[in-house]
Amino acid sequence: MFGPDKCGNDAKLHFIFRHINPINGTVTEKHAKKPKDRLEEPFKDKQPHLYQLVLRPDNTFTIRVDHTIVNEGSLLADFTPPVNPPREIDDPTDKKPEDWDERERIPDPTAKKPDDWDEDAPPQIPDSSVSKPDGWLDDVEEMIPDPAATKPEDWDNEIDGEWEAPLIPNPLCEKAVGCGLWKAPLVKNPDYKGKWRAPYIDNPNYKGKWSPRRIPNPDFFQDLTPFKMTTISAVGFEIWSMSGDILFDNLVISDDESVVRDWASQTYDLKRKQIDRQSATLWERTLKYLNYKPGWWAIYFCYCAIPVVAYIYFLAKRMKEETLIQRIVKYTNANPWLWAVYVVAIGLPITILLYVCCSSSAPKKEKPEHPKKTDEPSADHADSNDKRSELDDPLAPSSDNEAEAPDEVDELEMDDEAERNSDPDNSEDAEEEAPRVENTPEPAARKRRARKD
Protein backbone atom coordinates (compact mmCIF):
# COMPACT_ATOMS: atom_id res chain seq x y z
CA MET A 1 0.00 0.00 0.00
CA PHE A 2 1.33 3.41 -0.97
CA GLY A 3 -0.23 6.84 -0.66
CA PRO A 4 -1.25 9.70 1.62
CA ASP A 5 -3.37 9.23 4.72
CA LYS A 6 -4.77 11.90 7.06
CA CYS A 7 -6.57 11.04 10.29
CA GLY A 8 -7.38 14.09 12.38
CA ASN A 9 -4.17 16.08 12.85
CA ASP A 10 -1.96 13.11 11.96
CA ALA A 11 -0.75 13.26 8.34
CA LYS A 12 1.08 10.21 6.96
CA LEU A 13 2.50 8.90 3.71
CA HIS A 14 2.23 5.12 3.85
CA PHE A 15 4.45 2.55 2.23
CA ILE A 16 3.47 -0.96 3.33
CA PHE A 17 4.28 -4.23 1.62
CA ARG A 18 3.44 -7.84 2.44
CA HIS A 19 6.32 -10.23 2.88
CA ILE A 20 6.06 -14.01 2.68
CA ASN A 21 8.01 -16.08 5.18
CA PRO A 22 10.03 -18.56 3.09
CA ILE A 23 9.98 -21.14 5.93
CA ASN A 24 6.35 -21.38 7.01
CA GLY A 25 4.65 -19.30 4.27
CA THR A 26 3.06 -16.79 6.67
CA VAL A 27 2.46 -13.26 5.39
CA THR A 28 3.29 -10.18 7.48
CA GLU A 29 2.99 -6.47 6.75
CA LYS A 30 6.13 -4.34 6.77
CA HIS A 31 5.71 -0.59 7.46
CA ALA A 32 8.26 1.95 6.27
CA LYS A 33 9.71 4.41 8.76
CA LYS A 34 8.08 7.83 9.02
CA PRO A 35 9.56 10.77 7.11
CA LYS A 36 11.73 13.16 9.08
CA ASP A 37 9.59 16.18 8.19
CA ARG A 38 5.84 16.40 8.64
CA LEU A 39 3.80 16.36 5.44
CA GLU A 40 1.04 18.85 6.21
CA GLU A 41 1.04 21.18 3.21
CA PRO A 42 -0.18 18.65 0.59
CA PHE A 43 -3.18 17.84 2.80
CA LYS A 44 -4.51 21.38 3.17
CA ASP A 45 -3.46 23.45 0.14
CA LYS A 46 -6.19 21.93 -2.10
CA GLN A 47 -3.79 21.56 -5.01
CA PRO A 48 -2.95 18.52 -7.19
CA HIS A 49 0.12 16.57 -6.12
CA LEU A 50 2.25 13.80 -7.57
CA TYR A 51 3.22 10.87 -5.32
CA GLN A 52 6.04 8.63 -6.52
CA LEU A 53 7.50 5.42 -5.11
CA VAL A 54 10.67 3.94 -6.59
CA LEU A 55 11.92 0.42 -5.69
CA ARG A 56 15.33 -0.69 -6.87
CA PRO A 57 17.06 -4.09 -7.16
CA ASP A 58 19.53 -3.06 -4.46
CA ASN A 59 16.62 -3.07 -1.94
CA THR A 60 16.53 0.72 -1.65
CA PHE A 61 13.40 2.84 -1.99
CA THR A 62 12.68 6.51 -2.60
CA ILE A 63 9.43 8.38 -2.01
CA ARG A 64 8.85 11.71 -3.72
CA VAL A 65 6.08 14.29 -3.51
CA ASP A 66 6.03 16.66 -6.47
CA HIS A 67 9.54 15.47 -7.49
CA THR A 68 10.90 16.27 -3.99
CA ILE A 69 12.36 13.41 -1.92
CA VAL A 70 10.53 13.12 1.40
CA ASN A 71 11.61 9.63 2.49
CA GLU A 72 14.20 7.06 1.47
CA GLY A 73 15.93 4.04 2.92
CA SER A 74 16.46 0.31 2.65
CA LEU A 75 13.93 -2.51 2.62
CA LEU A 76 16.22 -4.49 4.90
CA ALA A 77 16.85 -1.87 7.58
CA ASP A 78 14.08 0.77 7.58
CA PHE A 79 10.91 -1.27 8.06
CA THR A 80 8.96 -2.39 11.12
CA PRO A 81 8.94 -5.26 11.83
CA PRO A 82 12.20 -6.02 10.01
CA VAL A 83 12.12 -8.25 6.96
CA ASN A 84 14.65 -10.69 8.40
CA PRO A 85 14.21 -11.79 12.03
CA PRO A 86 17.23 -11.70 14.41
CA ARG A 87 19.58 -14.64 14.56
CA GLU A 88 19.29 -14.88 18.35
CA ILE A 89 16.45 -14.20 20.77
CA ASP A 90 16.03 -14.08 24.54
CA ASP A 91 15.49 -17.44 26.18
CA PRO A 92 11.86 -17.39 27.38
CA THR A 93 12.65 -20.05 30.04
CA ASP A 94 15.50 -18.12 31.65
CA LYS A 95 14.62 -16.31 34.92
CA LYS A 96 16.50 -13.82 37.10
CA PRO A 97 18.04 -15.29 40.30
CA GLU A 98 16.50 -14.18 43.55
CA ASP A 99 19.79 -12.86 44.97
CA TRP A 100 20.54 -10.75 41.92
CA ASP A 101 20.97 -7.10 43.00
CA GLU A 102 20.55 -4.50 40.21
CA ARG A 103 20.85 -1.40 42.45
CA GLU A 104 23.98 0.63 41.69
CA ARG A 105 23.68 2.79 44.85
CA ILE A 106 22.00 2.12 48.18
CA PRO A 107 21.39 4.13 51.40
CA ASP A 108 24.30 3.97 53.84
CA PRO A 109 23.25 1.43 56.50
CA THR A 110 25.74 2.86 59.03
CA ALA A 111 24.45 6.45 58.87
CA LYS A 112 22.29 7.79 61.75
CA LYS A 113 20.11 10.86 62.11
CA PRO A 114 21.74 13.68 64.17
CA ASP A 115 20.23 14.40 67.60
CA ASP A 116 19.45 18.04 66.75
CA TRP A 117 17.58 17.13 63.57
CA ASP A 118 13.93 18.16 64.05
CA GLU A 119 11.75 16.64 61.36
CA ASP A 120 8.61 18.27 62.82
CA ALA A 121 9.86 21.84 62.43
CA PRO A 122 7.61 23.88 60.11
CA PRO A 123 9.15 25.42 56.98
CA GLN A 124 7.74 28.89 57.93
CA ILE A 125 7.20 30.65 61.26
CA PRO A 126 5.59 33.98 62.29
CA ASP A 127 7.94 36.96 62.11
CA SER A 128 8.73 37.92 65.71
CA SER A 129 10.07 41.34 64.72
CA VAL A 130 6.67 42.59 63.54
CA SER A 131 4.05 43.92 65.98
CA LYS A 132 0.35 44.62 65.58
CA PRO A 133 -0.37 48.12 64.21
CA ASP A 134 -2.13 50.68 66.41
CA GLY A 135 -5.82 51.03 65.75
CA TRP A 136 -6.33 47.42 64.69
CA LEU A 137 -9.92 46.33 65.45
CA ASP A 138 -9.62 42.78 66.76
CA ASP A 139 -13.28 42.44 67.75
CA VAL A 140 -14.69 43.65 64.44
CA GLU A 141 -15.33 41.18 61.61
CA GLU A 142 -14.13 41.98 58.13
CA MET A 143 -17.36 40.70 56.53
CA ILE A 144 -20.85 41.18 57.97
CA PRO A 145 -24.33 40.10 56.78
CA ASP A 146 -26.02 42.57 54.48
CA PRO A 147 -28.65 44.35 56.58
CA ALA A 148 -30.59 45.38 53.48
CA ALA A 149 -31.00 41.81 52.22
CA THR A 150 -34.36 40.10 52.67
CA LYS A 151 -35.35 36.50 52.48
CA PRO A 152 -36.94 35.59 49.11
CA GLU A 153 -40.62 34.76 49.21
CA ASP A 154 -40.14 31.44 47.43
CA TRP A 155 -37.40 30.31 49.82
CA ASP A 156 -38.18 26.88 51.33
CA ASN A 157 -36.10 26.01 54.40
CA GLU A 158 -36.77 22.30 53.96
CA ILE A 159 -35.49 22.31 50.39
CA ASP A 160 -33.05 25.24 50.30
CA GLY A 161 -31.87 25.10 53.92
CA GLU A 162 -31.75 27.90 56.44
CA TRP A 163 -31.54 31.28 54.74
CA GLU A 164 -28.55 33.47 55.48
CA ALA A 165 -28.01 37.00 54.31
CA PRO A 166 -25.09 37.51 51.91
CA LEU A 167 -21.88 38.94 53.37
CA ILE A 168 -20.59 42.41 52.53
CA PRO A 169 -17.41 44.28 53.61
CA ASN A 170 -17.73 45.83 57.03
CA PRO A 171 -17.91 49.63 56.63
CA LEU A 172 -16.08 50.08 59.96
CA CYS A 173 -13.00 48.43 58.50
CA GLU A 174 -12.74 50.95 55.66
CA LYS A 175 -11.54 53.70 58.02
CA ALA A 176 -9.52 51.45 60.37
CA VAL A 177 -6.06 49.95 59.83
CA GLY A 178 -7.51 46.47 59.82
CA CYS A 179 -10.17 44.21 61.30
CA GLY A 180 -10.39 40.70 62.65
CA LEU A 181 -7.76 38.53 64.26
CA TRP A 182 -4.29 39.92 63.59
CA LYS A 183 -1.56 37.49 62.55
CA ALA A 184 2.11 38.20 62.01
CA PRO A 185 3.47 37.54 58.53
CA LEU A 186 5.33 34.27 57.98
CA VAL A 187 9.06 34.00 57.28
CA LYS A 188 11.38 31.07 56.55
CA ASN A 189 12.27 28.91 59.52
CA PRO A 190 16.09 28.86 59.95
CA ASP A 191 15.86 25.57 61.90
CA TYR A 192 13.86 23.75 59.24
CA LYS A 193 15.75 20.77 57.74
CA GLY A 194 12.97 18.53 56.45
CA LYS A 195 12.81 14.78 56.63
CA TRP A 196 16.13 13.11 57.32
CA ARG A 197 17.41 10.55 54.80
CA ALA A 198 20.57 8.49 54.88
CA PRO A 199 23.19 9.34 52.25
CA TYR A 200 23.71 6.99 49.29
CA ILE A 201 26.82 4.89 48.75
CA ASP A 202 27.96 2.43 46.07
CA ASN A 203 26.30 -0.97 46.39
CA PRO A 204 28.96 -3.60 47.16
CA ASN A 205 26.60 -6.35 45.95
CA TYR A 206 25.82 -4.74 42.61
CA LYS A 207 25.94 -7.29 39.75
CA GLY A 208 24.70 -5.17 36.86
CA LYS A 209 21.47 -5.19 34.84
CA TRP A 210 20.18 -8.71 34.43
CA SER A 211 19.15 -9.94 30.99
CA PRO A 212 18.12 -13.43 29.88
CA ARG A 213 20.61 -15.50 27.96
CA ARG A 214 20.46 -15.54 24.18
CA ILE A 215 19.57 -18.64 22.17
CA PRO A 216 19.41 -19.28 18.39
CA ASN A 217 16.14 -18.11 16.84
CA PRO A 218 14.26 -21.19 15.59
CA ASP A 219 12.31 -19.01 13.12
CA PHE A 220 15.36 -17.30 11.65
CA PHE A 221 15.63 -16.88 7.89
CA GLN A 222 17.45 -14.49 5.61
CA ASP A 223 15.83 -12.94 2.56
CA LEU A 224 18.33 -10.74 0.70
CA THR A 225 15.95 -9.85 -2.15
CA PRO A 226 12.77 -8.45 -0.56
CA PHE A 227 12.31 -6.16 -3.57
CA LYS A 228 10.99 -9.24 -5.40
CA MET A 229 7.48 -8.79 -4.05
CA THR A 230 4.30 -10.57 -4.98
CA THR A 231 2.92 -9.87 -8.44
CA ILE A 232 0.78 -6.72 -8.80
CA SER A 233 -2.35 -7.83 -10.62
CA ALA A 234 -4.69 -4.93 -9.82
CA VAL A 235 -4.79 -1.38 -8.45
CA GLY A 236 -7.35 -0.28 -5.86
CA PHE A 237 -8.14 2.65 -3.58
CA GLU A 238 -8.81 2.39 0.13
CA ILE A 239 -10.85 5.49 1.00
CA TRP A 240 -12.75 6.50 4.11
CA SER A 241 -13.35 10.22 4.05
CA MET A 242 -15.85 12.87 5.11
CA SER A 243 -14.37 15.41 2.66
CA GLY A 244 -15.43 15.93 -0.92
CA ASP A 245 -13.50 16.78 -4.10
CA ILE A 246 -10.91 14.03 -3.60
CA LEU A 247 -9.86 12.86 -7.06
CA PHE A 248 -7.31 10.38 -8.38
CA ASP A 249 -6.05 10.03 -11.93
CA ASN A 250 -3.04 9.11 -14.04
CA LEU A 251 -1.84 5.92 -12.39
CA VAL A 252 1.20 4.18 -13.81
CA ILE A 253 3.30 1.18 -12.79
CA SER A 254 6.49 0.50 -14.74
CA ASP A 255 9.85 -1.21 -14.43
CA ASP A 256 11.57 1.69 -16.21
CA GLU A 257 12.03 4.85 -14.16
CA SER A 258 12.70 6.99 -17.23
CA VAL A 259 9.30 6.05 -18.70
CA VAL A 260 7.54 7.18 -15.54
CA ARG A 261 9.59 10.38 -15.45
CA ASP A 262 8.61 11.21 -19.04
CA TRP A 263 5.00 10.38 -18.31
CA ALA A 264 5.00 12.77 -15.34
CA SER A 265 6.50 15.55 -17.45
CA GLN A 266 3.68 15.17 -19.99
CA THR A 267 0.83 15.09 -17.42
CA TYR A 268 1.43 16.48 -13.96
CA ASP A 269 4.16 18.96 -14.86
CA LEU A 270 1.98 20.54 -17.55
CA LYS A 271 -0.94 20.78 -15.15
CA ARG A 272 1.29 22.33 -12.50
CA LYS A 273 2.60 24.95 -14.94
CA GLN A 274 -0.92 25.87 -15.99
CA ILE A 275 -1.98 26.35 -12.36
CA ASP A 276 1.09 28.49 -11.69
CA ARG A 277 0.29 30.68 -14.69
CA GLN A 278 -3.28 31.17 -13.49
CA SER A 279 -2.02 32.38 -10.12
CA ALA A 280 0.94 34.34 -11.41
CA THR A 281 -0.05 37.72 -9.97
CA LEU A 282 0.71 38.66 -6.38
CA TRP A 283 -2.94 39.49 -5.69
CA GLU A 284 -4.17 36.05 -6.82
CA ARG A 285 -1.51 34.30 -4.76
CA THR A 286 -2.52 36.36 -1.72
CA LEU A 287 -6.18 35.45 -2.12
CA LYS A 288 -5.34 31.78 -2.56
CA TYR A 289 -3.11 31.79 0.53
CA LEU A 290 -5.74 33.52 2.67
CA ASN A 291 -8.45 31.10 1.55
CA TYR A 292 -6.43 28.17 2.81
CA LYS A 293 -5.53 29.89 6.12
CA PRO A 294 -8.68 31.52 7.54
CA GLY A 295 -6.78 32.75 10.59
CA TRP A 296 -5.03 35.33 8.44
CA TRP A 297 -8.39 36.90 7.61
CA ALA A 298 -8.93 37.67 11.30
CA ILE A 299 -5.47 39.25 11.53
CA TYR A 300 -6.17 41.26 8.38
CA PHE A 301 -9.47 42.66 9.64
CA CYS A 302 -7.99 43.41 13.08
CA TYR A 303 -5.20 45.33 11.37
CA CYS A 304 -7.70 47.33 9.32
CA ALA A 305 -9.89 47.98 12.37
CA ILE A 306 -7.10 49.40 14.56
CA PRO A 307 -7.05 52.93 13.05
CA VAL A 308 -10.84 53.07 12.89
CA VAL A 309 -11.26 52.01 16.52
CA ALA A 310 -8.52 54.36 17.69
CA TYR A 311 -10.11 57.27 15.87
CA ILE A 312 -13.58 56.51 17.26
CA TYR A 313 -12.12 56.24 20.76
CA PHE A 314 -10.44 59.62 20.34
CA LEU A 315 -13.72 61.22 19.34
CA ALA A 316 -15.71 59.43 22.04
CA LYS A 317 -13.61 61.12 24.74
CA ARG A 318 -14.90 64.48 23.55
CA MET A 319 -18.55 63.58 23.23
CA LYS A 320 -19.50 66.01 26.04
CA GLU A 321 -18.79 68.98 23.84
CA GLU A 322 -20.26 67.63 20.63
CA THR A 323 -21.95 64.47 19.40
CA LEU A 324 -19.85 61.72 17.88
CA ILE A 325 -21.24 62.27 14.38
CA GLN A 326 -20.66 66.01 14.58
CA ARG A 327 -17.12 65.46 15.77
CA ILE A 328 -16.38 63.01 12.94
CA VAL A 329 -17.82 65.33 10.29
CA LYS A 330 -16.08 68.37 11.67
CA TYR A 331 -12.72 66.70 12.03
CA THR A 332 -12.99 65.10 8.59
CA ASN A 333 -13.83 68.42 6.93
CA ALA A 334 -10.76 69.89 8.56
CA ASN A 335 -8.66 66.99 7.29
CA PRO A 336 -10.01 65.87 3.87
CA TRP A 337 -7.38 63.13 3.58
CA LEU A 338 -9.37 61.14 6.14
CA TRP A 339 -11.91 60.30 3.42
CA ALA A 340 -9.25 58.16 1.76
CA VAL A 341 -8.61 56.44 5.10
CA TYR A 342 -12.31 55.65 5.43
CA VAL A 343 -12.46 54.20 1.94
CA VAL A 344 -9.38 52.00 2.43
CA ALA A 345 -10.08 50.93 6.01
CA ILE A 346 -13.80 50.23 5.54
CA GLY A 347 -14.46 49.78 1.83
CA LEU A 348 -11.51 47.50 1.02
CA PRO A 349 -12.31 44.78 3.63
CA ILE A 350 -15.96 44.79 2.58
CA THR A 351 -15.01 44.48 -1.09
CA ILE A 352 -12.66 41.58 -0.40
CA LEU A 353 -15.26 39.85 1.76
CA LEU A 354 -17.92 40.15 -0.95
CA TYR A 355 -15.48 38.88 -3.57
CA VAL A 356 -14.56 35.81 -1.49
CA CYS A 357 -18.17 35.03 -0.55
CA CYS A 358 -19.69 35.53 -3.98
CA SER A 359 -16.98 34.06 -6.18
CA SER A 360 -17.08 30.33 -6.85
CA SER A 361 -13.95 28.42 -5.99
CA ALA A 362 -15.03 25.25 -7.75
CA PRO A 363 -13.96 25.08 -11.40
CA LYS A 364 -16.69 24.88 -13.99
CA LYS A 365 -17.13 21.56 -15.64
CA GLU A 366 -16.82 21.80 -19.38
CA LYS A 367 -19.14 19.72 -21.49
CA PRO A 368 -17.48 17.58 -24.13
CA GLU A 369 -17.75 18.91 -27.63
CA HIS A 370 -18.45 15.50 -29.11
CA PRO A 371 -20.14 12.45 -27.63
CA LYS A 372 -18.09 9.42 -26.76
CA LYS A 373 -17.25 7.45 -29.89
CA THR A 374 -17.95 3.76 -30.21
CA ASP A 375 -17.35 1.18 -32.87
CA GLU A 376 -21.08 0.95 -33.70
CA PRO A 377 -22.32 3.48 -36.31
CA SER A 378 -25.23 5.73 -35.40
CA ALA A 379 -27.74 7.63 -37.55
CA ASP A 380 -26.88 11.05 -36.12
CA HIS A 381 -23.22 10.41 -36.70
CA ALA A 382 -23.84 9.39 -40.34
CA ASP A 383 -25.99 12.47 -41.02
CA SER A 384 -23.39 14.78 -39.54
CA ASN A 385 -20.70 13.19 -41.73
CA ASP A 386 -22.88 13.64 -44.85
CA LYS A 387 -23.54 17.29 -44.08
CA ARG A 388 -19.88 17.91 -43.32
CA SER A 389 -18.84 16.29 -46.65
CA GLU A 390 -21.38 18.42 -48.57
CA LEU A 391 -20.01 21.60 -47.03
CA ASP A 392 -16.42 20.58 -47.68
CA ASP A 393 -17.00 19.61 -51.35
CA PRO A 394 -20.25 21.02 -52.85
CA LEU A 395 -19.42 19.66 -56.32
CA ALA A 396 -19.18 16.05 -55.21
CA PRO A 397 -22.53 14.18 -55.15
CA SER A 398 -23.22 12.40 -51.89
CA SER A 399 -25.77 9.85 -53.26
CA ASP A 400 -27.56 8.70 -56.44
CA ASN A 401 -30.57 10.91 -55.78
CA GLU A 402 -28.38 13.95 -55.32
CA ALA A 403 -26.61 13.16 -58.62
CA GLU A 404 -29.94 13.67 -60.47
CA ALA A 405 -30.77 16.87 -58.56
CA PRO A 406 -28.91 19.30 -60.93
CA ASP A 407 -31.01 18.15 -63.96
CA GLU A 408 -34.26 18.79 -62.12
CA VAL A 409 -33.06 22.21 -61.05
CA ASP A 410 -32.10 23.10 -64.66
CA GLU A 411 -35.51 22.10 -65.91
CA LEU A 412 -37.17 24.23 -63.26
CA GLU A 413 -35.09 27.23 -64.17
CA MET A 414 -35.79 26.83 -67.90
CA ASP A 415 -39.56 26.69 -67.28
CA ASP A 416 -39.46 29.81 -65.12
CA GLU A 417 -37.47 31.69 -67.71
CA ALA A 418 -39.84 30.72 -70.55
CA GLU A 419 -42.87 31.78 -68.50
CA ARG A 420 -41.34 35.17 -67.73
CA ASN A 421 -40.56 35.75 -71.44
CA SER A 422 -44.04 34.78 -72.64
CA ASP A 423 -46.05 36.78 -70.05
CA PRO A 424 -44.50 40.12 -69.08
CA ASP A 425 -47.46 40.93 -66.84
CA ASN A 426 -46.48 38.22 -64.44
CA SER A 427 -43.20 39.89 -63.54
CA GLU A 428 -44.53 40.75 -60.12
CA ASP A 429 -45.52 37.14 -59.56
CA ALA A 430 -42.11 36.07 -60.70
CA GLU A 431 -40.54 38.41 -58.19
CA GLU A 432 -42.71 36.88 -55.46
CA GLU A 433 -41.76 33.40 -56.56
CA ALA A 434 -38.06 34.17 -56.59
CA PRO A 435 -37.69 34.11 -52.85
CA ARG A 436 -39.16 30.63 -52.81
CA VAL A 437 -36.26 29.42 -54.91
CA GLU A 438 -33.78 31.24 -52.66
CA ASN A 439 -35.26 29.57 -49.57
CA THR A 440 -34.49 26.10 -50.82
CA PRO A 441 -32.06 23.98 -48.72
CA GLU A 442 -28.52 25.25 -48.67
CA PRO A 443 -26.84 22.26 -50.32
CA ALA A 444 -29.22 22.32 -53.31
CA ALA A 445 -28.69 26.04 -53.88
CA ARG A 446 -24.96 25.59 -53.89
CA LYS A 447 -25.29 22.80 -56.47
CA ARG A 448 -27.40 25.00 -58.72
CA ARG A 449 -24.92 27.84 -58.68
CA ALA A 450 -22.08 25.44 -59.32
CA ARG A 451 -23.94 23.97 -62.35
CA LYS A 452 -24.62 27.42 -63.84
CA ASP A 453 -20.99 28.34 -63.54
Side-chain angles (χ1 to χ4, degrees):
M1 181 171 67
F2 170 69
D5 180 21
K6 188 176 188 298
C7 183
N9 294 328
D10 189 11
K12 301 178 181 178
L13 184 56
H14 288 294
F15 172 31
I16 305 172
F17 73 93
R18 304 177 68 188
H19 183 263
I20 300 177
N21 190 320
I23 297 178
N24 52 25
T26 58
V27 179
T28 56
E29 289 186 350
K30 312 298 181 180
H31 296 249
K33 65 178 182 179
K34 295 183 178 180
K36 296 180 180 179
D37 301 328
R38 291 181 59 85
L39 299 175
E40 295 182 353
E41 194 66 23
F43 292 92
K44 58 184 181 181
D45 61 1
K46 299 180 181 180
Q47 293 291 328
H49 294 282
L50 177 65
Y51 297 90
Q52 296 173 306
L53 170 63
V54 181
L55 296 176
R56 302 181 182 88
D58 60 353
N59 294 320
T60 60
F61 71 93
T62 301
I63 297 177
R64 299 188 184 96
V65 177
D66 301 338
H67 302 295
T68 301
I69 297 177
V70 297
N71 195 4
E72 58 183 349
S74 172
L75 299 178
L76 297 173
D78 299 316
F79 278 77
T80 304
V83 174
N84 297 320
R87 292 180 179 272
E88 295 182 345
I89 59 174
D90 295 337
D91 186 0
T93 62
D94 191 12
K95 296 182 179 180
K96 183 175 69 172
E98 296 180 358
D99 58 347
W100 192 279
D101 195 347
E102 294 183 343
R103 298 174 300 169
E104 295 184 12
R105 296 175 63 83
I106 60 174
D108 187 1
T110 61
K112 294 182 179 181
K113 183 177 69 172
D115 296 337
D116 60 347
W117 193 287
D118 186 5
E119 294 183 349
D120 299 330
Q124 292 181 335
I125 59 175
D127 189 359
S128 59
S129 62
V130 179
S131 59
K132 182 174 66 174
D134 297 336
W136 189 279
L137 305 178
D138 293 322
D139 300 333
V140 179
E141 298 292 338
E142 295 182 7
M143 304 294 291
I144 60 173
D146 187 1
T150 57
K151 179 180 178 181
E153 296 180 357
D154 58 348
W155 188 276
D156 191 346
N157 291 337
E158 296 181 356
I159 299 176
D160 303 326
E162 184 179 357
W163 181 83
E164 295 180 356
L167 298 179
I168 60 174
N170 193 341
L172 300 177
C173 297
E174 296 179 358
K175 300 180 180 180
V177 178
C179 298
L181 181 62
W182 181 84
K183 295 181 180 180
L186 299 178
V187 295
K188 292 184 178 180
N189 186 1
D191 298 330
Y192 174 75
K193 297 181 180 179
K195 187 175 180 60
W196 182 85
R197 293 181 176 85
Y200 276 76
I201 61 173
D202 294 336
N203 185 3
N205 299 323
Y206 175 69
K207 297 182 179 180
K209 296 296 182 181
W210 182 87
S211 59
R213 62 175 175 268
R214 305 283 290 180
I215 62 175
N217 186 359
D219 299 328
F220 172 76
F221 65 86
Q222 191 173 18
D223 183 3
L224 300 179
T225 58
F227 72 92
K228 296 180 179 180
M229 302 178 184
T230 56
T231 303
I232 299 176
S233 56
V235 176
F237 292 97
E238 181 179 349
I239 301 178
W240 189 94
S241 175
M242 302 295 291
S243 304
D245 298 334
I246 299 179
L247 308 176
F248 302 88
D249 65 351
N250 298 335
L251 306 176
V252 61
I253 300 175
S254 176
D255 56 0
D256 189 349
E257 189 174 354
S258 61
V259 173
V260 179
R261 189 181 302 108
D262 295 340
W263 168 85
S265 63
Q266 298 174 9
T267 55
Y268 172 76
D269 294 348
L270 297 179
K271 182 187 297 184
R272 187 73 262 177
K273 292 179 181 178
Q274 181 179 2
I275 295 175
D276 294 341
R277 285 196 300 267
Q278 293 175 354
S279 59
T281 63
L282 178 61
W283 177 247
E284 292 176 348
R285 289 197 299 268
T286 303
L287 288 179
K288 182 189 301 183
Y289 186 75
L290 292 178
N291 284 333
Y292 302 147
K293 298 183 180 298
W296 287 101
W297 281 109
I299 298 176
Y300 173 73
F301 283 113
C302 291
Y303 173 78
C304 295
I306 289 176
V308 178
V309 174
Y311 182 63
I312 294 175
Y313 174 76
F314 170 74
L315 297 179
K317 293 176 63 177
R318 307 182 66 179
M319 288 181 61
K320 295 181 179 180
E321 300 178 0
E322 296 178 345
T323 62
L324 178 62
I325 302 300
Q326 293 175 349
R327 175 63 61 180
I328 293 175
V329 173
K330 182 178 180 180
Y331 195 82
T332 305
N333 291 334
N335 301 275
W337 55 269
L338 287 175
W339 291 111
V341 176
Y342 297 154
V343 173
V344 175
I346 299 176
L348 183 60
I350 296 176
T351 303
I352 296 176
L353 182 61
L354 294 176
Y355 173 78
V356 174
C357 296
C358 299
S359 62
S360 177
S361 59
K364 297 182 180 180
K365 297 182 178 179
E366 298 181 356
K367 295 183 179 180
E369 297 180 357
H370 303 288
K372 185 177 180 181
K373 295 183 178 181
T374 60
D375 296 336
E376 297 295 333
S378 60
D380 296 340
H381 188 63
D383 295 341
S384 61
N385 291 337
D386 295 340
K387 293 179 180 180
R388 189 179 296 109
S389 62
E390 292 173 0
L391 295 177
D392 295 340
D393 190 4
L395 299 178
S398 59
S399 62
D400 297 339
N401 295 332
E402 292 179 355
E404 298 175 359
D407 298 336
E408 297 177 358
V409 173
D410 292 341
E411 294 176 1
L412 178 61
E413 292 176 352
M414 294 174 62
D415 296 339
D416 292 342
E417 184 177 0
E419 184 176 356
R420 286 195 297 270
N421 295 332
S422 60
D423 192 358
D425 297 334
N426 295 335
S427 59
E428 296 181 357
D429 296 339
E431 293 178 357
E432 294 178 358
E433 294 295 336
R436 297 180 184 179
V437 178
E438 294 177 358
N439 291 335
T440 55
E442 182 68 14
R446 292 186 179 182
K447 292 177 182 179
R448 181 171 64 251
R449 289 193 295 270
R451 185 61 177 266
K452 287 181 179 181
D453 293 341

